[in-house]
Amino acid sequence: MTVIVLVVATLFFRLLGALFGLARFATWRASAGHGLAVMLVLTASAHFVPSAVTFMPNHADMVAMVPPFVPFPTLMVYATGVLELAGAAGLLLPATRRAAGICLALLFVLMLPANIHAALADVPFAGEPATPLWQRIPEQILYIGVALWAAGTTARRTPVRSTTSAAPAK
């Protein structure tokens, strides 16, 4: 579901850029950053949803995903929710997009053990069976890649050319 949100939001933002000339969405990279931000707002919201809510993932589902070796699972779920929201906000601003993308990639790496634990321990999510590991790891890799790409860390660097000319040789 989250992959679908990421793809649809990215396409929507890019379409806004192409059809209406919105400079904010003029590139796939910027549109993907905004699409990832939308996905993160949705996933981060689950970190704060009360356990009584059963039509979507909730805080109890997220706590159940935390591996036993991680201390203070409830606090960790709240903290990662806040970090996801901060990362989403950071992706929206060109001045903070690079730092946000790098930090989000690190966060996705740090959250990978929770995804592995949930898959191996068959932790249900929103009343549904656990997502299989073969699906979770590629999704995490996709999110890491999109975060780094949106951050501009994968862009090719062109050498800076000097505007001063060298003195002619005699």
Side-chain angles (χ1 to χ4, degrees):
M1 175 68 170
T2 54
V3 173
I4 293 169
V5 170
L6 172 62
V7 170
V8 169
T10 298
L11 290 173
F12 174 76
F13 289 124
R14 187 61 192 101
L15 192 61
L16 287 177
L19 292 179
F20 300 108
L22 297 175
R24 179 176 206 85
F25 311 118
T27 66
W28 281 104
R29 185 183 309 269
S31 297
H34 285 74
L36 184 59
V38 168
M39 186 207 79
L40 286 166
V41 168
L42 291 175
T43 59
S45 67
H47 293 76
F48 307 101
V49 172
S51 302
V53 176
T54 57
F55 67 89
M56 67 179 284
N58 60 44
H59 181 76
D61 291 330
M62 304 304 276
V63 171
M65 290 178 62
V66 178
F69 64 84
V70 175
F72 311 109
T74 297
L75 177 63
M76 290 301 162
V77 168
Y78 286 130
T80 55
V82 169
L83 291 173
E84 286 183 19
L85 290 172
L91 286 173
L92 300 181
L93 303 171
T96 57
R97 188 171 296 143
R98 181 174 173 85
I102 292 168
C103 289
L104 282 168
L106 290 172
L107 180 63
F108 293 143
V109 169
L110 291 173
M111 291 190 316
L112 187 57
N115 283 296
I116 292 170
H117 169 72
L120 295 178
D122 288 326
V123 175
F125 199 63
E128 298 291 323
T131 308
L133 190 58
W134 64 263
Q135 181 180 340
R136 285 179 183 261
I137 291 180
E139 281 183 17
Q140 285 296 106
I141 292 169
L142 172 69
Y143 303 145
I144 291 166
V146 171
L148 292 174
W149 184 58
T153 61
T154 61
R156 290 187 186 150
R157 304 280 185 228
T158 56
V160 177
R161 295 184 184 194
S162 174
T163 56
T164 59
S165 60
K170 290 188 179 189

